[in-house]
């Protein structure tokens, strides 16, 4: 009668309910008995590295307690009722929550007119000379209040939530003053506090040289190291520090200077590396134990070996590759051969990746860069978690991990990289709490 006992539970008094479970406790699955909530008949794509491909399992019961996955039990092994609130998912696919590990989601202003000019053949250099490019976004972002930046960011982050993103990294980098960089980071923290999504913040003051320092970029680097990094660290606003190491950004020596300052405040480092040329930034970042290096179109073999040796994640940003009409592909085959973990991210930003869709980035990673759907899925779960230093808590369906997972109305996880534009998300769970139910 075990399989029918849940049908009669509503008719029991509280005392009778407790007595029933005392009577039936012997032979039950203790893990499920101790859960607060149970999802029955889920088909888990665990993304565990010790299992093949997606880590697919036969139908299981997934139990949650204290915001973590407390039990993952094969349905065929169930022996009794479930003391928790439960629901039957009828075999639906369950994956870890998606992780967007590289975004510039907070900004003001639009560069749609700039996009139109570029499509008409106006060179970017000319657009920049006339006040366009990143500096136009900097001006608009500086002029916007915290409240306005929050309002502008809300529809972007809600779009990610609707797609199944449960963790997102948000960078600063459009303020380029002490006050405005901290303003952006405060907005990012607020988004994580008010929306059902985990937000990791990255200080990217070394995104560009602001107009005030155009003739003295070294002084801007000193300001970053001596003022902005200490202030962000002391206020608890930054989880990591990033640098755009490029001939139009910051030199190798300047990048090292920023990394040394971050290290003084125990902040992790990341890097925009090898997008337009190779300055040796990835090798330098690996030397500092960076969480990730991102873009990587011009990454060389020395850099690949450095990443492999230190376990640094290579984050691929196919939306920027697409939007900029690049032709130089990142060295995917060499990264794969060296065993470098590859993450995939949306790179949401107003200038080079105005595409608010991690699912689209997954598709582009396959169609443009040559990843397999399995690699793309690992790139937005297990490897993306590692790119944020969260690999011990996120990115897999495994007992002890945080209960961030998604229920999908699709038959196979490859569909998540294949089919774009159809809402397939049935349920979204963050920290064990259902935040979306379709």
């Amino acid at each position: 009668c075990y399989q029918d006992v849940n049908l009669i539970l509503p008719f029991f008094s509280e005392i009778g309910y407790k007595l029933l479970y005392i009577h039936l406790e012997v032979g039950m699955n203790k893990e499920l008995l101790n859960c607060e909530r149970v999802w029955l008949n889920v088909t888990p794509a665990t993304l565990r590295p010790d299992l093949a491909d997606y880590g697919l399992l036969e139908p299981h019961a997934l139990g949650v307690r204290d915001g973590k996955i407390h039990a993952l039990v094969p349905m065929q092994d169930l022996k009794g009722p479930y003391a928790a609130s439960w629901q039957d998912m009828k075999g639906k696919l369950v994956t870890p929550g998606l992780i967007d590990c590289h975004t510039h989601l907070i900004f003001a202003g639009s560069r749609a007119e700039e996009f139109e000019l570029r499509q008409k053949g106006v060179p970017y250099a000319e657009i920049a000379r006339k006040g366009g490019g990143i500096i136009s976004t900097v001006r608009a972002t500086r002029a916007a209040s915290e409240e306005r930046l929050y309002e502008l960011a809300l529809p972007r982050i809600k779009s990610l939530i609707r797609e199944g993103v449960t963790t997102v990294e948000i960078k600063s980098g459009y303020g380029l003053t002490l006050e405005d960089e901290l303003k952006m980071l405060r907005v990012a923290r607020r988004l994580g506090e008010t929306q059902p999504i985990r937000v990791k913040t990255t200080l990217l003051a070394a995104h560009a040289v602001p107009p005030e320092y155009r003739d003295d970029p070294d002084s801007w680097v000193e300001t970053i190291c001596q003022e902005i990094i200490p202030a962000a660290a002391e206020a608890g606003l930054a989880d990591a520090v990033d640098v755009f190491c490029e001939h139009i950004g910051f030199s190798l020596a300047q990048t090292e200077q920023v990394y040394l300052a971050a290290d003084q405040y125990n902040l992790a480092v990341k890097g925009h590396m090898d997008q337009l040329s190779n300055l040796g930034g990835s090798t330098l970042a690996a030397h500092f134990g960076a969480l990730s290096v991102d873009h990587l179109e011009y990454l060389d073999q020395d850099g690949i070996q450095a990443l492999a040796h230190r376990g640094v994640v290579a984050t691929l940003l196919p939306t920027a590759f697409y939007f900029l009409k690049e032709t130089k592909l990142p060295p995917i085959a060499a990264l794969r051969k060296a065993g470098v973990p590859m993450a995939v991210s949306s790179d949401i930003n107003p200038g080079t990746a105005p595409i608010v869709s991690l699912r689209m980035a997954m598709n582009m990673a396959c169609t443009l860069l040559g990843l397999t759907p399995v690699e793309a899925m690992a790139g937005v779960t297990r490897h993306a978690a590692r790119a944020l230093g969260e690999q011990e808590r996120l990115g897999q369906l495994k007992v002890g991990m945080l209960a961030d997972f998604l229920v999908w109305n699709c038959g196979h996880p490859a569909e998540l990289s294949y089919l774009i534009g159809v809402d397939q998300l049935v349920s979204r769970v963050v920290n064990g709490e259902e935040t979306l139910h379709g």
Side-chain angles (χ1 to χ4, degrees):
C1 65
Y2 288 146
Q3 62 268 30
D4 299 318
V5 72
N6 279 299
L7 299 176
I8 64 174
L9 288 182
F11 302 101
F12 275 76
S13 67
E14 182 178 354
I15 294 176
Y17 177 91
K18 292 179 180 177
L19 288 175
L20 176 67
Y21 274 101
I22 291 171
H23 180 68
L24 293 176
E25 185 173 350
V26 176
M28 290 177 61
N29 293 98
K30 297 290 184 66
E31 308 99 313
L32 293 178
L33 182 65
N34 291 327
C35 290
E36 297 160 355
R37 190 169 181 182
V38 175
W39 284 258
L40 298 176
N41 281 311
V42 300
T43 301
T46 65
L47 274 295
R48 283 171 44 185
D50 58 317
L51 299 176
D53 294 335
Y54 299 94
L56 276 168
L57 302 176
E58 295 298 315
H60 273 58
L62 190 159
V64 168
R65 179 179 178 181
D66 297 330
K68 296 182 178 180
I69 298 175
H70 186 70
L72 200 55
V73 181
M75 288 299 296
Q76 63 184 16
D77 293 345
L78 295 192
K79 301 173 183 178
Y82 326 104
S85 170
W86 60 274
Q87 56 183 313
D88 188 348
M89 303 314 297
K90 305 184 186 305
K92 285 185 169 60
L93 177 71
V94 173
T95 71
L98 305 186
I99 300 171
D100 201 346
C101 63
H102 179 130
T103 82
H104 306 256
L105 189 140
I106 296 170
F107 59 88
S110 170
R111 286 158 70 178
E113 291 183 8
E114 174 185 320
F115 172 63
E116 187 169 35
L117 289 172
R118 286 166 56 186
Q119 292 305 109
K120 291 179 178 178
V122 180
Y124 178 78
E126 182 178 337
I127 293 171
R129 279 196 304 271
K130 293 180 178 179
I134 188 174
I135 297 304
S136 67
T137 302
V138 170
R139 283 197 304 270
T141 302
R142 286 179 176 181
S145 66
E146 282 190 35
E147 186 63 30
R148 181 57 179 158
L149 287 176
Y150 177 79
E151 292 171 355
L152 290 169
L154 270 179
R156 300 167 196 147
I157 204 164
K158 286 182 177 180
S159 292
L160 293 179
I161 289 170
R162 181 65 248 185
E163 272 200 337
V165 175
T166 56
T167 299
V168 60
E169 184 254 23
I170 301 176
K171 302 178 190 295
S172 65
Y174 292 125
L176 304 187
T177 68
L178 171 61
E179 291 182 2
D180 291 304
E181 287 293 293
L182 298 185
K183 176 177 70 176
M184 292 185 68
L185 294 173
R186 284 194 296 268
V187 173
R189 287 285 194 232
R190 182 181 172 191
L191 288 168
E193 292 164 359
T194 61
Q195 301 302 307
I197 191 168
R198 184 175 290 100
V199 172
K200 301 287 287 185
T201 57
T202 298
L203 174 66
L204 182 57
H207 192 194
V209 178
E212 300 85 350
Y213 290 84
R214 183 179 294 111
D215 298 324
D216 191 8
D218 286 339
S219 290
W220 173 238
V221 173
E222 289 178 6
T223 299
I224 294 171
C225 296
Q226 297 174 12
E227 298 180 27
I228 301 179
I229 288 175
E234 290 166 10
L237 291 174
D239 299 311
V241 172
D242 198 344
V243 180
F244 181 37
C245 181
E246 191 56 77
H247 66 274
I248 62 170
F250 296 87
S251 69
L252 203 62
Q254 291 168 332
T255 300
E256 182 175 16
Q257 191 175 343
V258 173
Y259 282 175
L260 287 168
D263 189 57
Q264 282 187 301
Y265 289 89
N266 297 314
L267 292 174
V269 298
K270 302 165 70 72
H272 283 62
M273 301 298 183
D274 305 321
Q275 181 184 11
L276 306 172
S277 63
N278 189 315
L279 302 183
S282 292
T283 300
L284 176 68
H287 174 75
F288 277 89
L291 293 175
S292 72
V293 291
D294 307 13
H295 284 293
L296 307 179
E297 281 83 344
Y298 286 82
L299 179 66
D300 61 16
Q301 191 60 38
D302 288 343
I304 291 170
Q305 291 306 314
L307 301 184
H309 178 68
R310 295 298 298 269
V312 179
V313 176
T315 299
L316 307 173
L317 305 173
T319 53
F321 180 90
Y322 156 81
F323 194 77
L324 293 174
K325 302 179 183 178
E326 296 286 356
T327 57
K328 174 72 171 175
L329 287 165
I332 301 299
L335 287 165
R336 187 184 288 137
K337 182 178 180 180
V340 176
M342 291 182 285
V344 174
S345 193
S346 69
D347 193 22
I348 299 163
N349 74 74
T352 63
I355 299 172
V356 187
S357 174
L358 186 59
R359 291 281 303 277
M360 180 63 80
M362 293 169 67
N363 178 273
M364 288 180 175
C366 296
T367 57
L368 298 179
L369 305 187
L371 266 63
T372 65
V374 173
E375 290 172 326
M377 191 67 200
V380 298
T381 53
R382 187 173 75 240
H383 296 326
R386 188 169 178 175
L388 298 178
E390 293 285 358
Q391 65 269 26
E392 300 301 323
R393 303 197 308 159
L394 299 170
Q396 300 178 52
L397 298 181
K398 186 177 178 182
V399 171
M401 291 284 194
L402 292 180
D404 285 19
F405 58 88
L406 310 166
V407 182
W408 300 95
N409 189 26
C410 63
H412 192 277
E415 287 190 39
L416 301 179
S417 295
Y418 158 74
L419 183 63
I420 304 300
V422 177
D423 186 0
Q424 297 168 288
L425 189 60
V426 174
S427 182
R428 177 181 179 274
V429 178
V430 180
N431 281 332
E433 297 292 329
E434 194 166 26
T435 64
L436 181 69
H437 184 73

